[in-house]
Amino acid sequence: MVWMLLIGVLVLVLLYILWQMELIGKTNKSLQAKLQQREHELLRLQQAVFQLAEQQKMLLEQRLAKLAVETRLSKPELAAVQLLCQLLPLVTRESCNKAISAQQTIKLYLRQHKTLEFGQLELMMIKHSRLTALWQNNSLMSYLQLCTVAVALAEEQTQAQLNSA
């Protein structure tokens, strides 16, 4: 009699455990479906961010192309502004995919391509106070703002040159 009662309790415990495992399995499937949906959404958002970065790069480069040849910015500074704009999609992609900061991405690019010295870029950021805080922040958002402000600075310097002539 005791054995039958013990076996009955054991069977009930096993049934309860199986029922809980089935509930956990359903919850797991539901959570995995939500995770896949979120990952798909994230990929779509990343693609949109990359496209926007590419469009922003083109807009900034168009603004730079409209500048007169004579500007108060030195040639290395103008080259630095052009480089900042050119690297906008790369910095965005690296920041989103690998969580690499803007300055790290720029350093790696300059090491590989040797178009400009990183020190020259930093000197420009220190020289123009409007760029300093954005450069030091070293985030993707501050880099986007840095590119826009650097182009605006180049435009202002060109306008000042034209007005003084």
Side-chain angles (χ1 to χ4, degrees):
M1 175 88 162
V2 175
W3 288 106
M4 287 177 66
L5 185 61
L6 188 60
I7 290 174
V9 169
L10 187 58
V11 168
L12 286 175
V13 168
L14 286 174
L15 288 173
Y16 178 76
I17 290 172
L18 288 173
W19 178 64
Q20 287 296 321
M21 286 176 57
E22 189 173 323
L23 286 177
I24 290 171
K26 287 180 182 178
T27 303
N28 186 32
K29 285 181 183 177
S30 165
L31 291 174
Q32 283 183 349
K34 286 180 182 178
L35 178 63
Q36 286 178 346
Q37 182 182 6
R38 297 285 189 249
E39 286 176 347
H40 181 68
E41 202 172 297
L42 178 64
L43 286 173
R44 282 192 4 241
L45 287 173
Q46 281 181 339
Q47 286 300 327
V49 167
F50 299 152
Q51 289 173 353
L52 288 172
E54 190 65 42
Q55 289 175 355
Q56 180 73 5
K57 171 193 163 203
M58 289 188 298
L59 289 172
L60 293 173
E61 286 177 339
Q62 286 174 356
R63 286 173 56 189
L64 280 175
K66 289 180 184 178
L67 297 179
V69 176
E70 305 248 346
T71 180
R72 287 188 180 173
L73 287 179
S74 66
K75 286 189 180 195
E77 287 177 334
L78 191 57
V81 172
Q82 290 170 335
L83 179 71
L84 289 174
C85 295
Q86 178 188 359
L87 293 180
L88 189 56
L90 176 67
V91 169
T92 303
R93 181 166 279 117
E94 293 296 311
S95 179
C96 289
N97 288 340
K98 300 177 185 173
I100 296 176
S101 72
Q103 289 183 20
Q104 287 175 319
T105 302
I106 293 169
K107 279 181 187 177
L108 290 172
Y109 177 86
L110 291 177
R111 246 186 252 144
Q112 293 172 352
H113 296 89
K114 301 191 189 300
T115 55
L116 188 72
E117 290 294 323
F118 188 76
Q120 289 176 311
L121 195 58
E122 285 187 315
L123 284 175
M124 179 184 163
M125 299 306 154
I126 293 168
K127 180 180 175 184
H128 301 284
S129 60
R130 291 171 39 196
L131 305 176
T132 306
L134 294 170
W135 177 254
Q136 289 173 345
N137 193 345
N138 200 20
S139 69
L140 179 58
M141 288 305 296
S142 65
Y143 184 76
L144 293 170
Q145 292 173 342
L146 175 72
C147 291
T148 304
V149 171
V151 170
L153 177 71
E155 289 172 333
E156 290 167 8
Q157 295 293 325
T158 301
Q159 189 61 39
Q161 181 73 21
L162 292 174
N163 290 341
S164 68

